[in-house]
Amino acid sequence: MGGKRKDNGSEGVEGEEDSKNSNKKMKKEKREILPSSIKNKEKRSAVHAKLKHQKKLDKRKKLKARDAAAKRALELGEEPPAKQIPRTIENAREADETVCMPDDEELFAGNDADEFSAILKQDRTPKILITTCRFNSTRGPAFINELLSVIPNAHYYKRGTYDLKKIVEYANNKEFTSIVVVHTNRREPDALLVIGLPDGPTAHFKLSSLVLRKDIKNHGNPTSHEPELVLNNFTTRLGHRIGRLIQSLFPQSPNFRGRRVITFHNQRDFIFFRHHRYIFEAKETKQSDSKGKNVKDTKGEGISKEKVIARLQECGPRFTLKLVSLQHGTFDTKGGEYEWVHKPEMDTSRRRFFL
Amino acid sequence: MPRATTVDCPGCPPLRALTFDALGLIKVIEARGKGGGGVPKVVDRWGDPDASKGLVAASLIDRKIDPLLAVARKNGVIEILNPLNGELFFSVSDLSNDGVRPEDNAIVGLHLFRKQRLELASRSCILLACRTKGNASIKTIGMADTKAGSGAPKTWNVCASGNISFSEVDGSESYALFGGKGVEVNMWDLEQCTKIWTAKPPPPNSLGIFTPTWFTSATFLSKDDHRKVVAGTNNHQVRLYDLSAQRRPVISFDFRENPIKAVAEDPDGHTIYIGNGSGDLASVDIRTGKLLGCFLGKCSGSIRSIARHPELPVIASCGLDSYLRIWDIGTRQLLSSVFLKQHLSKVVFDTNFAEEEVKHDVADTATLDALSIDETVGETEKPPTKRKKSSSKENKEGKKKKKASSKEKDGTKKLKSKKDDFADGQVSDLEYTL
């Protein structure tokens, strides 16, 4: 014990009792032995279980302490201690130098010069050609029907046996602004090819998690008003370009009275598509506050403390897209140049995203 | 703990490169730092973002005294600039295209000749420009003259039909190479303007399939020998031609599945670097046709241009993913990458860059830039810009002093310097009229 005390003294551990010091040192030594280095299975599993139990107790203790501190602060009327922000992958996303900055004049100049600027400036109205791959079955046609109702001014043509390059030519002649090709694999739509015209970029998306309208509970029926478009989280330059590509599929003058919104939400390089109809309502419904049609007919005098919320009713399909490649010209896999193509060597970190 | 490896980017040796992009901007990237640890940064940006003036071709005369940079824009304008500070010497717009829009018959290849047939004092330069439809012309542009060319430009048609994709001039500057879609690689003697050699396509393969000719890029294999040529096709093939041997390719091999967009040669004469349409960069030993290795480094866009530094063992590649990447040749490792925000079309190295600490003096740069684009205004009396071994800032100061002195002794010279494009937005309006 004396020797140990001397050791502790030389290490310079701050003022605690000597016996506690020595105990702590012994515990430290034990903890330094990782369970994985013990060869004996029974002993190893025992040590591991003990470690886990210890961790659980520590965590519970911390949680209790935090709650107690918050409650005490509330009772005393002070502010509770700040809540800790949980670490998520989106929070910890690697800093990307390609993120669009708001004051970047090159970005705006590039936007003016790119292939979508004519449509986005309302010089051309979007006219979409939807077609499929050569063999189409089961869920494909149903999906196409829903797409036709979602995208205004969309026309469906059967594929036949035309080459996609020829289809691009025909579409250019008939003045379409984009082509959307739904590709089916194993009786399920699994890829979406969006080709901007006349010589715009070609984006190849992988489609997954498709839920058709009839499978959504309490779904609504979309109307034919022009939808509002919500594009979330397309931060990088590539994301911005894809966002503009999607924007060019829809008309630029949304009809707000129609209360129809289409959302493309980008998170971790997956783009989630949702289609809703919304209604604004006041929470303390003494006063009917909704726009347009409202079932309730109460006309009370409103107490001014109402919170306006928007209630959503989902209609239309629900699916997720992931960008596989973005090609600079129209569809030409063999002879074209790619602006962005996903390569496995790019996935160096779980916190790195490209859109 | 992150569950994946992170690729470290060691820095690159001190170098300077100029990149040209689709919005008409020229960006200067410099890397400073002793040893190999420099991080390249954009130090300058010349030009206004304007898509109709996108840069399609460029050529740099890389020498210590009086370096010149020629760029060709999408609207048919050829400009001669000073690569030290982006100062425009003059610009020529090509009016020889009657009826055809400049965008349809854009310039595909440009080359500034190093040897100047006229004396240095008049500071003229000779350019070879080749267009998509096949019109190639050698123009002499003299700074002292009021007209576009002091002599009649020599024009000839390289191909009867098809589109030209590239044009290259060899090290001795007496032979030029052209090729493109539907146009076989052909070599012309520039002194006599005659075609001395045309390639012959390889025989159709055993199935009888004959791929149409479409060359996307080519280069001479070595600076001294004009007889060996490497060309890349749209059909992901790389072919070596030897003029002294035969018209068919000597060696031909496939590389992945996208068109070969850029080929560059190594000064050692037997290695080439190829870049294709989906961002794969590789080095190949052309004597055997064997792939030496690929450059892995997250390049996800088509590589438009590869430049090999004449002295340092680095290559630079730029392309549609808006990055300029610098690679080490021996280890094939990515040394550094710079994000440049636009689709890049070409990169050139500026070798006469001595790395010393330069403080960017804002006032200095503001006064020196952007002469008026009027062709008739030249700088006849200004002595050629001497590139001292010291930094470019001192060079600019030297120029400023010379300008001040020339102001005093100049005759009827009127210079107007316009507002420059730098973000600091200083307007300097110097008018010298005497």
Side-chain angles (χ1 to χ4, degrees), chain B residues 23-178:
Chain B
L23 273 192
L25 302 167
I26 305 175
K27 295 186 176 156
V28 182
I29 288 105
E30 278 180 13
R32 299 169 184 284
K34 317 254 182 307
V39 173
K41 284 199 243 299
V42 181
V43 298
D44 250 350
R45 194 190 81 167
W46 302 329
D48 280 319
D50 184 355
S52 62
K53 294 204 265 169
L55 290 160
V56 281
S59 164
L60 173 73
I61 302 184
D62 201 14
R63 48 185 182 210
K64 284 211 165 50
I65 304 177
D66 192 20
L68 283 178
L69 174 68
V71 296
R73 292 186 186 268
K74 202 155 78 156
N75 52 5
V77 169
I78 301 178
E79 293 175 2
I80 311 279
L81 306 157
N82 183 346
L84 302 176
N85 56 6
E87 194 183 318
L88 179 70
F89 287 144
F90 47 78
S91 77
V92 180
S93 78
D94 220 37
L95 302 163
S96 55
N97 276 332
D98 25 18
V100 184
R101 287 186 330 153
E103 280 86 36
D104 293 337
N105 201 8
I107 297 181
V108 162
L110 192 65
H111 182 86
L112 256 184
F113 284 94
R114 211 162 299 221
K115 50 186 187 195
Q116 296 184 346
R117 311 221 175 116
L118 313 169
E119 344 48 272
L120 214 58
S122 66
R123 302 200 63 217
S124 55
C125 45
I126 312 174
L127 297 173
L128 165 68
C130 178
R131 295 174 173 276
T132 325
K133 296 270 191 295
N135 323 63
S137 58
I138 297 188
K139 279 197 266 263
T140 312
I141 303 182
M143 308 245 264
D145 298 342
T146 55
K147 282 263 188 86
S150 55
K154 276 191 280 188
T155 354
W156 71 96
N157 221 349
V158 172
C159 67
S161 64
N163 298 330
I164 304 274
S165 305
F166 64 88
S167 91
E168 295 282 329
V169 175
D170 80 324
S172 64
E173 296 195 340
S174 39
Y175 299 99
L177 198 62
F178 302 96

Side-chain angles (χ1 to χ4, degrees), chain B residues 185 187 196-203 227-229 239-252:
Chain B
V185 178
M187 186 157 335
I196 54 174
W197 179 82
T198 318
K200 205 169 169 188
R227 287 171 307 179
K228 295 219 178 78
V229 165
R239 295 182 184 164
L240 169 69
Y241 291 92
D242 193 342
L243 262 69
S244 44
Q246 57 181 16
R247 286 176 65 197
R248 292 232 161 106
V250 172
I251 303 179
S252 165

Side-chain angles (χ1 to χ4, degrees), chain A residues 105 237 337-338 345 348, chain B residues 4 45 280 296 302 304 341:
Chain A
E105 63 155 354
R237 294 294 289 250
E337 358 177 44
Y338 287 92
E345 63 192 16
T348 50
Chain B
R45 194 190 81 167
D280 306 317
L296 293 178
S302 154
R304 282 274 175 90
K341 301 183 200 157

Side-chain angles (χ1 to χ4, degrees), chain A residues 187-257:
Chain A
R187 300 173 288 278
E188 275 275 341
D190 76 330
L192 208 67
L193 199 64
V194 180
I195 307 176
L197 296 173
D199 50 8
T202 305
H204 181 222
F205 294 100
K206 182 172 78 148
L207 211 163
S208 48
S209 298
L210 174 66
V211 179
L212 295 175
R213 188 179 305 144
K214 55 188 172 70
D215 300 327
I216 301 177
K217 293 206 156 105
N218 300 327
H219 70 267
N221 288 319
T223 56
S224 61
H225 299 109
E226 273 119 21
E228 281 174 62
L229 197 58
V230 173
L231 294 166
N232 274 340
N233 217 8
F234 287 89
T235 46
T236 63
R237 294 294 289 250
L238 178 65
H240 190 75
R241 201 160 149 79
I242 298 287
R244 283 171 71 88
L245 175 70
I246 295 175
Q247 200 181 357
S248 71
L249 294 176
F250 294 92
Q252 298 307 303
S253 48
N255 187 346
F256 293 104
R257 306 210 61 177

Side-chain angles (χ1 to χ4, degrees), chain A residues 94 344-352, chain B residues 1-7:
Chain A
E94 273 180 15
E345 63 192 16
M346 296 198 293
D347 293 334
T348 50
S349 154
R350 292 187 74 191
R351 288 150 201 65
R352 191 191 159 95
Chain B
M1 294 289 286
R3 218 214 291 170
T5 52
T6 42
V7 179

Side-chain angles (χ1 to χ4, degrees), chain A residues 94 96-99 104-107 109-110 113 237 241 328 333-341 343 345-352, chain B residues 3-5 7 23 25 27 45 49 51 257-259 261 277-280 296-302 304 320-321 323 339 341-343:
Chain A
E94 273 180 15
D96 202 344
E97 52 181 352
T98 59
V99 167
D104 195 355
E105 63 155 354
E106 280 190 48
L107 178 64
R237 294 294 289 250
R241 201 160 149 79
H328 188 65
T333 39
K334 288 292 167 119
E337 358 177 44
Y338 287 92
E339 280 182 35
W340 189 84
V341 60
K343 293 187 177 174
E345 63 192 16
M346 296 198 293
D347 293 334
T348 50
S349 154
R350 292 187 74 191
R351 288 150 201 65
R352 191 191 159 95
Chain B
R3 218 214 291 170
T5 52
V7 179
L23 273 192
L25 302 167
K27 295 186 176 156
R45 194 190 81 167
E257 285 177 4
N258 285 90
K261 284 286 174 186
S278 74
D280 306 317
L296 293 178
K298 304 189 207 173
C299 183
S300 49
S302 154
R304 282 274 175 90
L320 286 186
D321 60 345
Y323 270 91
F339 179 58
K341 301 183 200 157
Q342 303 301 335
H343 294 330

Side-chain angles (χ1 to χ4, degrees), chain B residues 140-306:
Chain B
T140 312
I141 303 182
M143 308 245 264
D145 298 342
T146 55
K147 282 263 188 86
S150 55
K154 276 191 280 188
T155 354
W156 71 96
N157 221 349
V158 172
C159 67
S161 64
N163 298 330
I164 304 274
S165 305
F166 64 88
S167 91
E168 295 282 329
V169 175
D170 80 324
S172 64
E173 296 195 340
S174 39
Y175 299 99
L177 198 62
F178 302 96
K181 180 173 183 183
V183 179
E184 284 287 344
V185 178
N186 42 18
M187 186 157 335
W188 290 68
D189 184 335
L190 288 174
E191 262 114 58
Q192 285 123 27
C193 285
T194 50
K195 192 191 302 201
I196 54 174
W197 179 82
T198 318
K200 205 169 169 188
N205 62 7
S206 54
L207 296 170
I209 298 177
F210 171 68
T211 42
T213 331
W214 191 339
F215 287 94
T216 48
S217 151
T219 174
F220 285 90
L221 196 54
S222 87
K223 275 207 273 243
D224 327 306
D225 188 4
H226 70 101
R227 287 171 307 179
K228 295 219 178 78
V229 165
V230 180
T233 70
N234 202 42
N235 204 27
H236 48 83
Q237 261 195 346
V238 179
R239 295 182 184 164
L240 169 69
Y241 291 92
D242 193 342
L243 262 69
S244 44
Q246 57 181 16
R247 286 176 65 197
R248 292 232 161 106
V250 172
I251 303 179
S252 165
F253 62 91
D254 276 331
F255 177 63
R256 302 229 176 139
E257 285 177 4
N258 285 90
I260 312 283
K261 284 286 174 186
V263 185
E265 84 280 5
D266 201 77
D268 63 8
H270 53 79
T271 322
I272 56 164
Y273 306 101
I274 47 181
N276 76 352
S278 74
D280 306 317
L281 186 61
S283 72
V284 179
D285 185 339
I286 201 64
R287 297 172 292 194
T288 53
K290 203 166 84 117
L291 186 74
L292 291 174
C294 283
F295 291 71
L296 293 178
K298 304 189 207 173
C299 183
S300 49
S302 154
I303 295 177
R304 282 274 175 90
S305 154
I306 307 176

